[in-house]
Amino acid sequence: RVMTASRGGLTPDEPRLGNTADETGFRRLPKGHVSAISCVFRAGRLGANTDHDSILFDVNKETGEINRGTRNMHWYKLGLDKIFTCPWTSTEFYSEHPDGGKGDIKPIKVQGQKVPGIANVLEQTCLSHYLLLPDVPLVGWDVVLSSKGICMLEVNLSCNFFKGSFDHDEYFRFMSEYFNFLDTYRLKKKSD
């Protein structure tokens, strides 16, 4: 999962900052317009029905190195009473995939491995955000790395960081820009 952030919504009349495609399409993003703010390798579980039951390994965006993993399955509980009874944080941490070493499956070391071509993955997710959803502030991209290349599996418009690391100052500055813009927009509409 790669989470990207776009400033296109801050310029609603020109979400792509006036850029137009040439005969080959868009080749480059305007600097600072869309950025990848978090990256997580979601490793599915043996016998799981959905990707909600997975191990979430934080990925260093600069190097592609996979860091330790954890789970968030405890979040997916139904019922209002779970607000008071389910744990808010995970205390489980993994350097290997927990299904490794079971049955015919060999142990699977994950921490310390590298996501191949991480720069290209991040560039493609940012370009996709810019082209498809320029005025949507935050987007989570489920990306598959296959023998045929990068595949955008799914886009999530109600997304979270899935336990991935991110630059808190950058994120809060980004959110502050949007809240200030929306507040100014609201006041302008109210006075019109």
Side-chain angles (χ1 to χ4, degrees), residues 135-183:
D135 53 352
V136 176
L138 298 170
V139 175
W141 302 90
D142 290 352
V143 179
V144 174
L145 302 181
S146 74
S147 59
K148 299 193 187 284
I150 298 171
C151 173
M152 300 299 183
L153 181 65
E154 179 179 68
V155 61
N156 298 273
L157 303 180
S158 174
C159 53
N160 67 50
F161 288 100
F162 282 107
K163 310 293 262 177
S165 61
F166 61 98
D167 182 325
H168 292 92
D169 290 339
E170 176 188 354
Y171 174 74
F172 291 126
R173 214 173 12 258
F174 174 81
M175 294 307 296
S176 179
E177 285 179 49
Y178 263 95
F179 283 121
N180 288 334
F181 171 80
L182 291 171
D183 197 40

Side-chain angles (χ1 to χ4, degrees), residues 27-100:
R27 289 291 178 198
R28 283 187 282 149
L29 293 166
K31 187 170 177 58
H33 192 63
V34 178
S35 59
I37 59 175
S38 183
C39 185
V40 172
F41 170 54
R42 295 174 66 189
R45 298 298 310 276
L46 187 64
N49 292 324
T50 70
D51 61 352
H52 293 209
D53 188 3
S54 60
I55 308 302
L56 311 165
F57 291 93
D58 185 32
V59 176
N60 181 309
K61 296 182 312 173
E62 307 303 319
T63 65
E65 184 172 345
I66 301 173
N67 300 309
R68 76 178 184 173
T70 189
R71 298 182 61 179
N72 69 347
M73 190 64 184
H74 60 281
W75 291 348
Y76 298 101
K77 306 290 183 200
L78 298 176
L80 286 176
D81 64 314
K82 301 304 184 275
I83 293 171
F84 304 106
T85 60
C86 107
W88 285 82
T89 59
S90 174
T91 56
E92 301 174 59
F93 298 102
Y94 302 90
S95 60
E96 295 185 352
H97 194 291
D99 294 333

